Amino acid sequence: MDRNGQNAPRQGDATADRADQNARLNYIQWEAKFRTEKPYEFISQAPEGCPRKNFTLAASPEQTIYDIRGSEELFNLDDHAFQVVRQEVGVIPTDQKGIESDYLPKIVELLQSIDPGAEVVVFDWRLRTSDYTRTTAKSGSVIDLDDPMLILKPVHAVHIG
């Protein structure tokens, strides 16, 4: 569905090639305190006396995640809050210097080509992988925010960044 609650545009009827999936997604559970404070979670050291996070997650009812392959051009930022763009960026570096001097400028340029005049500020970036043998930051551990090369696990909740 788009932001207005309308069904997402589809190209043709369902085919055997589509890979729609049903899933229960994790969302922040609403609490009255969110009227006056934003939900938060510290991945670094929390200030003394402050809880590490002020929310709980709850699984949604089952939802369909639609496979949009073959219909990518039907989605745009204004109507759907996302857009699919194909861009060759070459080999993606895995070292901090390469990421910051080569990869991130290409991403900024790509975003500005989609939305000319947009100010793009990369304030933080993190490496993440679902291969838990490669993660260097273990679940529940305090993250050194000065070390962007720590490899983190994926976030398992719906979020915007």
Side-chain angles (χ1 to χ4, degrees), residues 93-141:
T94 57
D95 63 293
Q96 183 173 350
K97 183 178 184 294
I99 290 168
E100 291 175 347
S101 66
D102 183 45
Y103 180 71
L104 292 178
K106 288 179 183 176
I107 299 305
V108 168
E109 183 180 327
L110 171 63
L111 294 171
Q112 289 174 330
S113 75
I114 295 166
D115 189 0
E119 179 183 13
V120 179
V121 177
V122 178
F123 64 91
D124 187 30
W125 58 268
R126 300 282 161 198
L127 301 173
R128 294 188 181 269
T129 182
S130 57
D131 179 354
Y132 292 152
T133 64
R134 293 187 51 224
T135 56
T136 52
K138 301 307 175 200
S139 184
S141 64

Side-chain angles (χ1 to χ4, degrees), residues 7-106:
N7 285 329
R10 302 288 309 158
Q11 183 177 24
D13 294 327
T15 67
D17 294 341
R18 269 204 7 227
D20 295 349
Q21 296 286 316
N22 290 326
R24 296 182 67 194
L25 304 176
N26 294 315
Y27 290 90
I28 291 178
Q29 199 166 23
W30 173 256
E31 296 182 42
K33 66 183 170 189
F34 299 143
R35 288 188 174 94
T36 58
E37 68 182 75
K38 292 182 179 182
Y40 68 82
E41 180 174 15
F42 289 101
I43 62 171
S44 61
Q45 185 66 44
E48 190 169 324
C50 189
R52 192 138 184 216
K53 67 180 186 176
N54 72 343
F55 64 87
T56 55
L57 296 175
S60 70
E62 195 168 85
Q63 304 178 113
T64 302
I65 310 299
Y66 294 100
D67 179 355
I68 65 166
R69 287 177 285 193
S71 301
E72 295 92 337
E73 73 284 350
L74 300 176
F75 297 87
N76 63 72
L77 288 174
D78 291 334
D79 295 326
H80 305 98
F82 76 93
Q83 182 171 331
V84 178
V85 178
R86 298 194 187 283
Q87 176 71 32
E88 181 60 46
V89 295
V91 176
I92 299 174
T94 57
D95 63 293
Q96 183 173 350
K97 183 178 184 294
I99 290 168
E100 291 175 347
S101 66
D102 183 45
Y103 180 71
L104 292 178
K106 288 179 183 176

